[in-house]
Amino acid sequence: MTGPVAVSGAGTPLRIATVNINGIRATLRRGFGDWLHERGCDVIALQEVRAQADKLPAGAFGEYHAALDTGSVPGRNGVAVLTRQPPPAVRTWSGAALLAGPSASGAELPASGEGPSASDEGPSAQGETPLLTEVPAADRVVLPRGLRPFADQGRYVEVDLAEAPVTIASLYLPKGGLPAELQRPERMREAPDGGARYARKMAFMAAFSTYLARTRRAAAAAGREFLLMGDMNIAHTRQDLAAWRRNQQNDGFLPEEREWFGQQLGPRTLVDVVRSLHPEEDGPYSWWSWLGQSFAKDAGWRIDYHLATPRLARSARWAAVDREVAGTRLSDHAPVVVEYRA
């Protein structure tokens, strides 16, 4: 865990985390429940939940309310935002959402896309796992055409917080691949695909830029700050990747990916919060391969981000990466925790 960095701020403290858990069942076996209870976060964004509604373990999210888009493919993707209070609004790309109360009991999401009534809160009498509920009004902004092929993949969910004027989004950006001209079979773990995965990621990023601007402006129009968190599958700068020299022609650190990432940031749009708190530091990294000694040597990547509107970013007091919980890694990613004064 990196040490805290103090920054001036005022208002209600909000401890907010993001983590790619790489499967809810696997991370629970590694101590995710203990981390949830002990870390004391107010909001947690999750990626790669990897479980459909009927496969979510009982009590998966502890004492939190969970808004999820699990996606349509079993065992793949899935995003969530966990909150202390039921969110007054939940938005997805898919037109379907899962809203779970504490102890992972189901609460149906009303057709308007707004949060639950008081009668929906808390565990159900039977304690059954939640069911997906169709949401006709999936989002308040128009989904760009380029994102429509991704709409049912469980890559984005957005909620408004009840306890502060902040909109929180959890994103799982596609991993991608190499363009055809850089593909060398002897250097690849996956079979060459002629650049198909690369083209898919680039198409997603181009369309997501439009969407991100729209939803950020919609939050501002509603009097809310905006915070995008998640696994971006891009290391932005040399400080964000330990072995940057040998990865300059690898996906996740390609010049065009890094340029796109930089275009999402600006003093009037979004701020990379952890980098603003650690401007001169390599890392702090949030992903390490399970192979070799990458974790022991801290030879990682920083690909899990908090991107906040400037006012919210200025309220950040400290940031930390929870590399281990009781000596165990929760995932190949580690939680990135920031405390804000919202």
Side-chain angles (χ1 to χ4, degrees):
M1 182 184 300
T2 61
V5 177
V7 180
S8 62
T12 303
L14 284 175
R15 184 171 296 180
I16 301 178
T18 183
V19 57
N20 180 323
I21 55 176
N22 208 351
I24 185 64
R25 287 160 288 190
T27 197
L28 284 168
R29 291 193 296 270
R30 297 186 181 112
F32 178 67
D34 292 336
W35 178 82
L36 276 182
H37 179 71
E38 295 170 6
R39 197 52 164 114
C41 292
D42 299 290
V43 183
I44 304 107
L46 304 179
Q47 303 84 46
E48 288 205 88
V49 175
R50 291 190 174 190
Q52 299 298 101
D54 60 347
K55 300 297 184 182
L56 283 172
F61 307 115
E63 58 193 19
Y64 291 88
H65 296 266
L68 307 96
D69 188 344
T70 62
S72 61
V73 182
R76 296 288 301 275
N77 306 334
V79 288
V81 177
L82 312 186
T83 55
R84 294 286 188 185
Q85 300 180 35
V90 178
R91 292 175 287 272
T92 72
W93 295 347
S94 65
L98 180 79
L99 192 64
S103 300
S105 299
E108 288 193 349
L109 194 65
S112 66
E114 296 302 304
S117 66
S119 62
D120 293 322
E121 296 180 28
S124 64
Q126 294 78 22
E128 68 271 16
T129 54
L131 299 175
L132 284 172
T133 302
E134 291 297 321
V135 183
D139 210 332
R140 61 183 169 189
V141 300
V142 176
L143 192 67
R145 181 177 300 177
L147 290 180
R148 293 174 191 172
F150 302 92
D152 64 349
Q153 293 184 7
R155 292 191 176 275
Y156 185 91
V157 63
E158 177 182 302
V159 308
D160 292 341
L161 296 187
E163 53 268 59
V166 181
T167 293
I168 301 281
S170 179
L171 170 71
Y172 179 44
L173 197 145
K175 182 180 183 298
L178 292 174
E181 63 271 18
L182 293 181
Q183 294 193 6
R184 305 288 185 270
E186 67 277 6
R187 297 179 56 232
M188 299 175 64
R189 293 180 182 173
E190 300 174 322
D193 65 353
R197 288 186 293 270
Y198 168 82
R200 177 171 170 265
K201 183 176 184 178
M202 297 304 292
F204 181 99
M205 293 190 305
F208 186 70
S209 292
T210 300
Y211 179 84
L212 182 58
R214 289 175 181 174
T215 195
R216 174 179 53 79
R217 290 168 182 159
R224 290 180 167 270
E225 298 297 322
F226 181 79
L227 175 60
L228 172 69
M229 293 184 287
D231 178 0
M232 306 287 282
N233 272 311
I234 298 171
H236 181 208
T237 72
R238 294 177 180 180
Q239 290 177 283
D240 301 320
L241 173 56
W244 65 267
R245 288 182 177 85
R246 68 169 182 260
N247 279 288
Q248 294 179 81
Q249 292 190 333
N250 281 337
D251 51 297
F253 198 61
L254 296 172
E256 54 268 41
E257 294 174 315
R258 297 167 58 199
E259 180 181 6
W260 174 87
F261 194 103
Q263 290 170 350
Q264 312 316 305
L265 307 178
R268 296 183 179 180
T269 54
L270 294 172
V271 174
D272 180 347
V273 176
V274 175
R275 178 56 63 219
S276 71
L277 294 172
H278 297 264
E280 306 300 329
E281 180 179 335
D282 288 341
Y285 306 125
S286 62
W287 179 88
W288 304 262
S289 172
W290 288 113
L291 302 176
Q293 297 295 309
S294 295
F295 185 74
K297 296 179 179 178
D298 197 24
W301 295 56
R302 191 174 79 94
I303 56 176
D304 302 275
Y305 295 90
H306 288 233
L307 305 182
T309 43
R311 182 177 179 183
L312 181 61
R314 288 193 297 271
S315 78
R317 297 180 61 83
W318 55 260
V321 174
D322 293 350
R323 283 171 50 95
E324 295 179 309
V325 177
T328 301
R329 296 171 64 183
L330 296 179
S331 164
D332 50 352
H333 296 252
V336 180
V337 187
V338 177
E339 185 162 291
Y340 298 87
R341 294 274 179 177

